[in-house]
Amino acid sequence: MLGLELVVLLGVAVLVGQAVAQRLGVAPPVVLLVVGALLGLVPAVRQTQLPPEVVLLLFLPVLLYWESLTTSMREIRSNLRGIVLLSTVLVILTAGAVAVAGHALGLPWGPAWALGAAVAPTDATAVGVLARSLPRRQVTVLRAESLVNDGTALVIFGLAVGLTVGEEHLTLPHVGALFLLAYGGGAAVGVVVAWVNMNLRRRLDDPLLGNLVMILAPFTAYLLAELIHASGVLAVVVSGLIMAQVAPSLIRAEHRRQALAFWPLLTFIINGALFVLVGVELQYALRHLNRSDLRDALIAIGVVSVVLVAVRFAFLFSSACLIRLLDRRPDQRLRRISHRARTVSGLAGFRGAVSLAVALSVPETLDSGVPFPDRAFIVFVTSGAIVVTLVVQGLLLPGVVRWAKLPRDTSVDEEHVLADTTATEEAIEALPRLAAELGTTPKVMEWLHQEYEAHLATVRARGAGTDDDPALLHNRHYTDLRLALIAHKRATVVRLRDERQIDDTVLRQLQAALDNEEVRLAGREQVE
């Protein structure tokens, strides 16, 4: 029964946390962490230990896959060098710096490196939630960094734990082979899963079966990669990025509409639940430390948090100076960002549930049966570092963004107008030929021509920014009247159901058509 109670509590916590965050104007993860910490005061909840495989095998693939599907591949290609440096070199440097700090605070080298590996990677879900107000290029770099850096951190973590329990040996060829297997094997598995996915989606007409394949894809990629000891994270990301490129021309409209209704809700619930669980886990770890260890752990949280921010800032600014010194190509100059923008990126390095899952993966005992040294300490410090980065940096980020005075990113709006205008113009040009091929009557062709011309005029007026343009006024009046008519039709259909002239099945069918039309007219489609 506890499982069902926990599900209900998590759902209520996410609902309350999100509502309070909207009311207070605070980033939702901050409120959800507080709600989770309060839930952790309940003994039955506090004793519910979060298994690491729940995050690594159930939650993480879904979140990574959706982030990959909704990330700009063009921006990744144009910023590939920076993304690679952030997701590999920065992770290694961060893990090393935290390990040195942890060792100075009394941890043995093995557990110190395990702590460093746990807190080194930024979290894709936290970045996606907390950094949406940034320009598209910065958001893409931050999301891509957090999608890939888990693989680097997990290799470091595996080495640290393996050395501590006596299963690994540390030589340069061995470490190089592990990294090659992690990245090369993960990418290969991602390509294979994407290829299978594409072939299945071509053959499946049923939207339910098609979206079932979509749900299975990230889990399959992660599982296959883990079976060969490769990076499951990278396998999911590569599979998602490939599908993002081929899906527009491969997946049918009804499949896509169903996916766009299901996946945002699923990821919203998982994201919220993970932030709540991090707060709960902080309470759990707190109960496993005595007073002396708690004092040392609180000091360690402060030190580790400072190290995380300091290393990130130092790397961002030093690597930029080095790249500017070595690469003076004109196109490289165009990609440069200001120091203020780089400061914003430095503050946006949030940690999240992945770090907690890594910390919880520390084994209970060594090969000899002796307890793993300082496991509770590692879990608590990792949880504390997550809270500090999410709360402190999350609260500071909006003010820093205002201070940075970043230029408003209008590229998405401009490209939207360009694509809509070009597509409509070419559709009007192709209209006579398509009408002739289909044997369409001249009256229907003329009606469609007028409709497309009106839409084109509306798009051009929006692109010009002229709010008082007659085309926009006509479009608003048209939309308002159509929405009023839809509401009237819906009321009529409900009345007919209430009068028992039609069945509920008929009501649902008609209501679905009316809902689709209303969403399209009102422009409430939520597409990343």
Side-chain angles (χ1 to χ4, degrees):
M1 187 61 182
L2 182 59
L4 181 58
E5 293 169 349
L6 183 62
V7 169
V8 174
L9 280 174
L10 281 176
V12 173
V14 171
L15 179 62
V16 172
Q18 293 284 348
V20 172
Q22 292 178 7
R23 178 65 62 88
L24 299 179
V26 179
V30 175
V31 180
L32 292 170
L33 282 171
V34 174
V35 172
L38 293 176
L39 273 181
L41 295 173
V42 180
V45 176
R46 187 172 60 244
Q47 295 303 319
T48 305
Q49 176 74 0
L50 177 64
E53 58 269 15
V54 170
V55 175
L56 292 177
L57 300 180
L58 294 181
F59 290 174
L60 187 60
V62 173
L63 297 174
L64 290 176
Y65 196 63
W66 184 244
E67 289 288 331
S68 303
L69 289 173
T70 54
T71 297
S72 169
M73 189 64 180
R74 185 184 68 180
E75 291 294 322
I76 289 178
R77 283 195 292 263
S78 62
N79 296 281
L80 184 60
R81 178 173 58 190
I83 292 169
V84 170
L85 290 174
L86 289 170
S87 58
T88 54
V89 179
L90 177 57
V91 174
I92 295 171
L93 292 176
T94 303
V98 172
V100 170
H103 186 65
L105 291 171
L107 285 178
W109 276 114
W113 273 99
L115 174 62
V119 298
T122 54
D123 186 75
T125 60
V127 168
V129 172
L130 294 168
R132 287 174 178 169
S133 59
L134 302 182
R136 176 173 58 171
R137 178 186 174 188
Q138 280 187 277
V139 173
T140 302
V141 171
L142 289 168
R143 290 175 69 184
E145 170 200 355
S146 55
L147 285 172
V148 179
N149 58 17
D150 296 334
T152 306
L154 289 172
V155 171
I156 299 172
F157 176 78
L159 283 171
V161 172
L163 287 170
T164 306
V165 301
E167 295 177 352
E168 291 283 359
H169 58 284
L170 189 62
T171 63
L172 187 60
H174 178 63
V175 174
L178 287 177
F179 274 97
L180 181 62
L181 176 61
Y183 282 94
V189 170
V191 171
V192 171
V193 171
W195 180 82
V196 174
N197 193 352
M198 285 186 289
N199 283 278
L200 287 174
R201 299 305 291 272
R202 285 194 185 99
R203 291 166 171 78
L204 293 174
D205 296 325
D206 188 340
L208 294 175
L209 293 179
N211 282 296
L212 177 57
V213 172
M214 184 180 181
I215 294 171
L216 289 173
F219 297 111
T220 305
Y222 198 97
L223 177 61
L224 291 178
E226 290 295 313
L227 288 176
I228 64 171
H229 303 290
S231 171
V233 169
L234 195 62
V236 174
V237 170
V238 169
S239 176
L241 290 175
I242 293 173
M243 289 305 299
Q245 298 303 299
V246 302
S249 57
L250 176 69
I251 297 177
R252 296 175 174 85
E254 60 270 24
H255 294 220
R256 190 159 43 245
R257 285 186 64 84
Q258 191 176 86
L260 288 174
F262 169 75
W263 280 82
L265 175 62
L266 177 65
T267 54
F268 170 80
I269 294 172
I270 291 177
N271 272 328
L274 283 177
F275 290 126
V276 172
L277 288 170
V278 169
V280 173
E281 193 63 36
L282 189 62
Q283 283 276 3
Y284 178 86
L286 181 63
R287 303 287 172 170
H288 285 72
L289 295 173
N290 58 42
R291 182 166 297 181
S292 175
D293 289 339
L294 178 60
R295 183 189 66 248
D296 295 340
L298 291 174
I299 294 172
I301 289 172
V303 171
V304 167
S305 300
V306 171
V307 169
L308 292 177
V309 175
V311 171
R312 184 173 182 85
F313 271 87
F315 181 83
L316 286 173
F317 282 90
S318 61
S319 62
C321 293
L322 183 61
I323 290 173
R324 290 183 181 186
L325 183 65
L326 299 177
D327 190 349
R328 299 181 177 273
R329 293 174 298 169
D331 59 334
Q332 170 59 31
R333 294 176 181 271
L334 295 175
R335 288 199 294 267
R336 292 177 180 175
I337 62 174
S338 66
H339 289 317
R340 291 194 173 203
R342 192 166 286 109
T343 300
V344 172
S345 295
L347 201 63
F350 305 105
R351 271 62 183 179
V354 174
S355 293
L356 182 60
V358 173
L360 291 173
S361 299
V362 174
E364 298 281 351
T365 60
L366 305 179
D367 285 350
S368 60
V370 178
F372 193 98
D374 300 295
R375 183 182 186 275
F377 186 89
I378 293 172
V379 173
F380 183 77
V381 173
T382 301
S383 303
I386 294 169
V387 172
V388 170
T389 59
L390 288 176
V391 174
V392 177
Q393 293 175 218
L395 292 175
L396 288 176
L397 185 62
V400 174
V401 171
R402 289 192 294 271
W403 164 82
K405 297 179 180 178
L406 301 176
R408 183 173 175 269
D409 189 353
T410 60
S411 59
V412 173
D413 296 332
E414 292 168 359
E415 291 176 12
H416 187 280
V417 171
L418 171 65
D420 204 352
T421 302
T422 306
T424 305
E425 288 174 343
E426 293 189 6
I428 292 173
E429 183 181 347
L431 182 57
R433 175 178 58 81
L434 295 174
E437 292 176 359
L438 297 171
T440 308
T441 63
K443 186 175 182 179
V444 173
M445 187 182 75
E446 180 60 26
W447 177 72
L448 277 174
H449 188 274
Q450 292 176 1
E451 182 180 329
Y452 270 64
E453 286 287 0
H455 176 71
L456 183 60
T458 302
V459 174
R460 286 172 173 167
R462 285 175 181 158
T466 51
D467 292 336
D468 56 348
D469 189 279
L472 286 177
L473 184 62
H474 171 82
N475 179 262
R476 280 196 291 269
H477 288 171
Y478 174 83
T479 301
D480 291 343
L481 183 56
R482 286 287 298 273
L483 290 173
L485 289 171
I486 289 171
H488 194 277
K489 288 175 67 176
R490 182 180 288 111
T492 302
V493 173
V494 173
R495 176 176 57 80
L496 291 173
R497 191 279 310 270
D498 293 342
E499 294 173 353
R500 299 185 180 180
Q501 297 185 51
I502 64 172
D503 186 60
D504 289 282
T505 303
V506 178
L507 169 64
R508 286 192 292 269
Q509 292 172 350
L510 293 173
Q511 196 170 44
L514 293 172
D515 289 346
N516 288 336
E517 187 177 3
E518 180 183 348
V519 169
R520 181 181 63 83
L521 287 168
R524 293 200 294 262
E525 301 268 14
Q526 294 186 1
V527 183
E528 289 281 344

